[in-house]
Amino acid sequence: VSLNTSTRPDQPAPLWPFSSSRAPMRESNCPFMRLVFFILSLTKSASAALMQYRHPSFRAHPLRALRCPGASAMARAPQAPTHEQGGVIILGAGWVGSRLAAHLAESGVDVCVTNRPPSANPPQANQPPGMHRPPGSSRPKPKYFRPIELPESIPRRAFDMSNRETWTDLPPPSSLRAAVITFAAMPEECAAFWDEYLSHVPRVICYSSTAVYKVETPGQLVDEDTPLRRTPRANAEEFMRERGATVLTISGIFGEPQGSRGVCTCLAAYATSGVKLSRRKTVNMVHVDDIIESTVRLLEVPQQGGRRINVGGHHFTMRDLLSHCNCDLPTVDDNDSGSKRVSSEYLLNEVLPSGYHFAEPLKQACFRRC
């Protein structure tokens, strides 16, 4: 059998579409071999076509990106606020809330604050020294509770959780990244406000007091697992926590020593309230800057939602505090039944930076003698 691998000039072009001109079909004078070569050419062309189908990268035209249903609609939809988007509303711009607002505003965060609506009582004509009347309020506040002055760039809203009419003046919850509640809420009003407003805010932080803990033994150590006293405040906080809010349980608050919340000024205010000073009572105090730092950290840590977290600061005895402030006040030696030591281990280990230390109250210079 003789083989001829050239194409005869007088042979017509092949009619089978897969007979590409890239490789001419071999021929033979033997009819059987010509049939074999024809079948082989069909197999090779079909295989090439199949490979081109199975490997789209071989195609000459570019592929389109895969699209999922609703992709264009999602691209046009406004994005929900992330930890870097949206503002923060502080419900209650009091002594701590106003300082938190100032700190956030200085950091470039859009902040809105609220104050209670003006009282029905007319403003007092002669305001006593040391009293402060916040914007929108007709009642002056004692200096001990005085908020700091906020810049006009921070919007203010009149708001009362028990008054539904004031809710409409708040910014839309979709424009917020977080809400911080600085005052004690009651269960009835809290439930309605949560359903209508707070449930639509990505992150909610609620300030609480260590007074919510149930103390079985004077001086006992309390942490986040300690049972709560079922007060209206604690019930409202648990309602919000079970729905994703973070509850910060805060000890007694102090500030700069020369200010209205220096530790010795706080002691003087406590002593004039009429309570008996027990020398063995355990006192827990935390600096306002530590509260602000904890709040800012939690605004950036969504996985802490639904938790109660203690911000306890330092604890010491009333005897130590009296000695630090050079106070010679009547005292008793009884054990205060509500005395406790507040643990902040979870906050220090899981939220605040490694090596963080609370400001120490008894290392402040004493600017006041009782």
Side-chain angles (χ1 to χ4, degrees), residues 42-252:
L42 294 181
T43 304
K44 182 177 180 180
S45 300
S47 299
L50 179 62
M51 291 298 294
Q52 189 178 23
Y53 174 78
R54 295 183 62 182
H55 298 277
S57 59
F58 296 144
R59 296 180 182 178
H61 60 275
L63 291 176
R64 295 181 179 178
L66 295 176
R67 297 180 63 186
C68 63
S72 59
M74 288 190 294
R76 293 192 302 266
Q79 298 297 315
T82 67
H83 68 286
E84 295 180 351
Q85 298 175 336
V88 176
I89 185 170
I90 299 175
L91 302 173
W95 199 88
V96 177
S98 61
R99 288 163 170 80
L100 173 63
H103 176 86
L104 292 175
E106 291 173 1
S107 303
V109 179
D110 291 332
V111 183
C112 173
V113 300
T114 70
N115 294 102
R116 291 178 65 87
S119 170
N121 299 326
Q124 295 181 9
N126 298 319
Q127 184 172 323
M131 304 293 276
H132 171 74
R133 182 177 293 123
S137 173
S138 61
R139 290 184 178 180
K141 283 191 172 184
K143 189 176 180 181
Y144 184 81
F145 300 103
R146 174 183 297 181
I148 62 173
E149 296 292 337
L150 295 175
E152 294 298 326
S153 58
I154 297 181
R156 306 168 189 267
R157 301 286 186 269
F159 168 73
D160 185 347
M161 192 178 288
S162 62
N163 184 357
R164 186 181 291 267
E165 294 181 357
T166 64
W167 301 359
T168 58
D169 195 36
L170 300 178
S174 59
S175 68
L176 301 173
R177 77 169 83 166
V180 181
I181 306 172
T182 67
F183 54 82
M186 294 296 105
E188 301 79 10
E189 57 200 41
C190 170
F193 185 64
W194 178 276
D195 292 339
E196 185 165 323
Y197 190 86
L198 292 177
S199 63
H200 305 288
V201 179
R203 203 162 302 164
V204 177
I205 296 176
C206 177
Y207 286 175
S208 179
S209 165
T210 55
V212 300
Y213 285 123
K214 183 185 297 183
V215 178
E216 303 290 347
T217 305
Q220 78 176 64
L221 183 69
V222 299
D223 59 16
E224 289 82 358
D225 294 326
T226 302
L228 303 179
R229 299 166 54 234
R230 286 301 177 179
T231 63
R233 176 175 189 168
N235 291 338
E237 292 166 357
E238 286 300 286
F239 175 89
M240 293 186 284
R241 185 191 63 78
E242 291 169 356
R243 287 155 180 78
T246 304
V247 180
L248 283 184
T249 314
I250 302 171
S251 296

Side-chain angles (χ1 to χ4, degrees), residues 221-224 249 251 284 286 309-315 341-352 358:
L221 183 69
V222 299
D223 59 16
E224 289 82 358
T249 314
S251 296
N284 300 269
V286 62
I309 302 176
N310 291 343
V311 189
H314 291 276
H315 50 78
R341 294 172 294 128
V342 180
S343 170
S344 303
E345 289 303 308
Y346 184 87
L347 178 71
L348 291 170
N349 294 334
E350 303 295 334
V351 178
L352 294 173
F358 292 120

